[in-house]
């Protein structure tokens, strides 16, 4: 049986505008095996997992589990767990880190504030501090969610670590199994699909230099899918690859059609027309899916730089 990622690649399905949406990522280290819904089907207390899901709902925070690449036999309860929180909205990007012994401390976080970009509860509840290490590369490897993530993601994570790349973690779910291997780069929150080791290394090198690599980029998690596609289109059209200088400031929705305004910190603005299409022919959206689907795709129809007289329109 063909894997969903193989079919998607063979049909040349575009990856732009397919990233998971989250203004803030909350990542908790949880060694051992993960089930399909890892927060409630791993060796994390499922009661805690459900509480974290409820606390994050509607706040813009996405909670995921992470572990070091390698073997995943149960090593027992870790003495201390790594926790990260990353806010991905341009102009206010930050990444904080903490070490905790009791994961129930996460319930003391102000999730609404975290989603809005306020990290103070992360420091107060967990003793967290700003993180100044290498950018993080989170590789989705949850084979219980979709086998492509394990078959393609785990070798990528291992290759990156073996070649000396620092900041690599396995992560439970980034969405878009058919684009495996999928990778999220923090702190800026750009996701990549069909990733290869050289692409991830280039993306990490770019982030260290304050640049965004657009090759294979699915979009920035800070924006909804039309905004993701619009921002990447502006980057390509304007040749602007600096991180943190473009923001989606307005999205007008008209029945599977969007007019997205993208603003530059230097005052320039663009109007991007994005239309929702269907990826045809029908294909499996995940491995083992009983029904073939036609996944929605974000097609950029036009990119127009606005003159100052048109900015108020």
């Amino acid at each position: 049986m063909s894997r969903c990622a193989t079919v998607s690649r063979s049909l040349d399905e575009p990856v732009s505008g397919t990233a998971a949406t989250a203004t803030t990522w909350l990542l908790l280290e949880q060694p051992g095996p993960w089930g399909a819904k890892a927060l409630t089907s791993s060796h994390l207390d499922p009661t805690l997992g459900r509480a974290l899901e409820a606390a994050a709902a509607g706040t813009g925070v996405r909670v995921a589990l992470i572990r070091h690449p390698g073997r995943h036999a149960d090593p027992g309860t870790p003495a201390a767990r790594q926790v990260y929180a990353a806010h991905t909205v341009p102009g206010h990007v930050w990444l904080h880190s903490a070490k905790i012994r009791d994961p129930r401390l996460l319930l003391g976080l102000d999730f609404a504030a975290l989603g809005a970009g306020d990290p103070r509860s992360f420091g107060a509840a967990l003793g967290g501090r700003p993180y100044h290490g290498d950018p993080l590369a989170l590789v989705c490897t949850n084979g219980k969610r979709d086998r492509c993530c394990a078959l393609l993601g785990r070798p990528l994570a291992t290759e990156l670590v073996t070649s000396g790349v620092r900041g690599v973690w396995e992560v439970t779910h980034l969405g878009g199994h058919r684009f495996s291997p999928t990778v999220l780069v923090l702190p800026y929150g750009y996701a990549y699909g069909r990733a290869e080791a050289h692409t991830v290394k280039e993306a990490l090198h770019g982030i260290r230099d304050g640049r965004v690599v657009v090759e294979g980029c699915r979009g920035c998690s800070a924006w909804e899918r039309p905004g993701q596609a619009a921002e990447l289109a502006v980057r390509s059209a304007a040749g602007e690859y600096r991180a943190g200088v473009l923001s989606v400031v307005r999205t007008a929705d008209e029945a599977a059609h969007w007019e997205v305004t993208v603003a530059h910190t230097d005052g320039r603005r663009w109007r991007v027309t994005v239309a929702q299409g269907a990826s045809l022919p029908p294909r499996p959206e995940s491995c083992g899916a009983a029904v073939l689907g036609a996944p929605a795709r974000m097609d950029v129809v036009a990119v127009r730089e606005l003159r100052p007289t048109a900015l108020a329109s």
Side-chain angles (χ1 to χ4, degrees), residues 112-187:
L114 283 176
D118 182 350
R120 285 177 294 181
S121 72
F122 192 80
L126 309 182
R129 297 177 178 274
Y131 172 81
H132 298 295
D134 291 285
L136 303 183
L138 309 176
V139 184
C140 184
T141 63
N142 191 351
K144 294 295 185 182
R145 187 91 183 196
D146 189 283
R147 61 178 177 157
C148 282
C149 298
L151 293 173
L152 301 175
R154 289 188 65 184
L156 173 61
T158 299
E159 181 181 355
L160 290 169
V161 171
T162 302
S163 64
V165 178
R166 293 178 293 185
V168 178
W169 292 86
E170 297 187 8
V171 68
T172 48
H173 183 49
L174 297 178
H177 322 293
R178 63 193 184 278
F179 302 121
S180 295
T182 60
V183 180
L184 177 70
V185 176
L186 295 176

Side-chain angles (χ1 to χ4, degrees), residues 76-112:
T77 302
R81 302 169 188 254
Q82 181 66 56
V83 184
Y84 296 105
H87 189 63
T88 63
V89 177
H92 193 43
V93 170
W94 50 258
L95 174 58
H96 287 207
S97 170
K99 284 276 193 180
I100 61 173
R101 292 182 177 273
D102 185 353
R104 290 175 295 182
L105 292 173
L106 270 64
L107 295 177
L109 294 170
D110 184 336
F111 282 80

Side-chain angles (χ1 to χ4, degrees), residues 27-28 30 34 38-39 42 44 63-67 170-172:
L27 308 169
L28 170 65
Q30 177 57 58
W34 297 331
L39 281 178
S42 68
L44 182 71
V63 185
L65 303 181
I66 58 174
R67 66 191 175 196
E170 297 187 8
V171 68
T172 48

Side-chain angles (χ1 to χ4, degrees), residues 90 190 223 226-235 238 240 245-252 259-274 300 302-306 311:
Y190 285 89
W223 316 126
Q228 295 171 12
E231 185 217 335
L232 291 175
V234 168
R235 287 192 177 280
E240 176 56 88
V245 299
L246 294 179
S247 294
V248 174
V249 296
R250 185 172 183 268
T251 301
E259 294 293 335
V260 183
T261 303
V262 178
H264 196 293
T265 52
D266 66 8
R268 286 180 291 166
R269 292 196 173 203
W270 293 262
R271 186 72 46 77
V272 183
T273 303
V274 181
V300 173
V303 179
R304 178 169 61 97
E305 185 171 356
L306 299 178
L311 291 181

